[in-house]
Amino acid sequence: MKKAFIFITFLCLYVDYYAQDIVYHDFEPDIMTEHDTDSITIDFDNDGISDMSLVIVSNSTGYTFGLIAHGGWQISYVEDEYATITLTDITEWYNPLSWDPYFYQENLCVRKVDANCCYYGWFRAYNGYITFPNGGFRSYIGLDKYAYCTIPDYPLRWGQTELSTGVDENSEGVFAVYPNPAKQSVTLIGQQIAEARLYSVTGQLVATKQGNGTESLTMDVSGLPSGLYFVTAIGEDGSRSVLKVVKE
C-alpha cells in the first residue's frame, strides 16, 4: 500500500481556538488512521515542517503505537489513566496497541530547545481496535487535540489553553510580578532567582537581568512601548516560570 501522510496543518475539519499566544486545535471529528503504512503528522509551530508523527508499526509480535519527534522536538512525558511517565526528552516512544475494545489514550507534553530558550506544546493521542463478526480486527490510532505556545520558555502544562496571569506555580517556588500593569519598572519575587528575561509578544528578547539567587529582582521597563510582555524567571535549580506583564 502506498504510504499516506495526513498533514494536520492543511486539514480543514477542525475547530481552532487562539488564546492570545497559545494556539489550540480541537479536531471535530478526530483525525484517525487504521493502516500500518499511514501516519498522522503534527506541525506545532505551523512552519510547514513535520514536528511529530503518530504511527502504527508492525513487528514480529504484532503492532505498536509509535510517536516520533522531528526537527529538535522532544517528548517530555506521557500521562495516561494509570500514571505519569517521565520520558527525559526522548525523540521516539512506542507502546503496544491497546486491546481495550474502546481506546487507550495518552496525554503528551513536548518541547523544542531553540538557542537559549524552549518552546512547549501538548497533544492527546489514542489507539484501539475494531472487531469483525468473523473474528478479525482492525487497529487504529487517532489525534484528538493539540496546543502550542509561541512565547519562549512558557512552561505550557498539558491541557492548558490560556496564559497564566500574575502568579505561576509550575516550579518549586512561587513567582509573582508587580506592579501589573506597570509604567516604570516591574519587580519579580520568588525563591533563588538566577536570571530574569523579558520578551515581547512576538518572542523578541528585550531585556535581561541577573539575580544571583536573590528573592527579589527589579527590571526597568520605562523605555518600552506600551503593550503585553512576558517575563521568564529562571531559578538557581534551572526551573523556569513565565508571567504576563502589561506595560502602560
Side-chain angles (χ1 to χ4, degrees):
M1 180 183 297
K2 185 178 180 180
K3 191 169 186 178
F5 293 93
I6 303 173
F7 286 95
I8 290 172
T9 304
F10 303 106
L11 289 173
C12 59
L13 298 177
Y14 58 68
V15 175
D16 288 346
Y17 171 62
Y18 294 86
Q20 296 184 37
D21 285 273
I22 297 179
V23 182
Y24 173 50
H25 299 273
D26 187 356
F27 295 93
E28 297 179 1
D30 294 350
I31 308 303
M32 296 178 62
T33 183
E34 57 190 42
H35 304 292
D36 62 326
T37 52
D38 291 350
S39 68
I40 300 174
T41 303
I42 306 176
D43 179 6
F44 287 105
D45 49 15
N46 198 32
D47 62 357
I49 301 174
S50 168
D51 299 322
M52 184 70 58
S53 295
L54 287 64
V55 299
I56 296 179
V57 179
S58 60
N59 51 43
S60 58
T61 59
Y63 292 91
T64 299
F65 176 35
L67 302 170
I68 305 172
H70 313 285
W73 284 90
Q74 299 172 325
I75 307 167
S76 297
Y77 73 81
V78 177
E79 177 187 275
D80 57 37
E81 59 183 313
Y82 302 108
T84 296
I85 307 169
T86 301
L87 300 177
T88 319
D89 298 324
I90 64 175
T91 56
E92 293 187 25
W93 180 77
Y94 299 94
N95 197 35
L97 283 175
S98 170
W99 293 108
D100 188 307
Y102 301 101
F103 64 86
Y104 181 85
Q105 67 186 31
E106 283 94 7
N107 301 332
L108 301 113
C109 281
V110 294
R111 73 170 186 165
K112 181 179 182 179
V113 179
D114 187 1
N116 294 320
C117 62
C118 295
Y119 293 89
Y120 293 85
W122 60 263
F123 65 100
R124 169 176 282 172
Y126 59 86
N127 72 85
Y129 75 98
I130 301 171
T131 58
F132 299 106
N134 62 3
F137 70 93
R138 182 174 61 201
S139 298
Y140 64 86
I141 56 175
L143 177 67
D144 178 20
K145 60 186 72 175
Y146 76 88
Y148 163 74
C149 186
T150 63
I151 300 299
D153 291 324
Y154 189 90
L156 195 67
R157 296 182 295 272
W158 193 94
Q160 183 179 359
T161 59
E162 295 182 357
L163 298 174
S164 62
T165 59
V167 177
D168 187 279
E169 300 180 2
N170 286 323
S171 61
E172 293 181 359
V174 176
F175 292 91
V177 62
Y178 72 91
N180 195 7
K183 293 183 178 180
Q184 300 298 320
S185 64
V186 293
T187 298
L188 183 69
I189 58 174
Q191 298 179 8
Q192 298 182 326
I193 304 171
E195 184 182 3
R197 300 174 183 172
L198 191 66
Y199 294 93
S200 69
V201 292
T202 61
Q204 179 183 6
L205 180 64
V206 295
T208 62
K209 190 167 185 179
Q210 299 299 312
N212 300 317
T214 184
E215 295 185 354
S216 177
L217 186 64
T218 299
M219 303 182 74
D220 182 12
V221 297
S222 59
L224 297 176
S226 299
L228 179 64
Y229 294 85
F230 294 88
V231 59
T232 296
I234 304 174
E236 289 286 303
D237 60 355
S239 61
R240 301 185 182 207
S241 293
V242 179
L243 303 115
K244 181 172 65 176
V245 177
V246 176
K247 167 63 168 59
E248 290 184 331

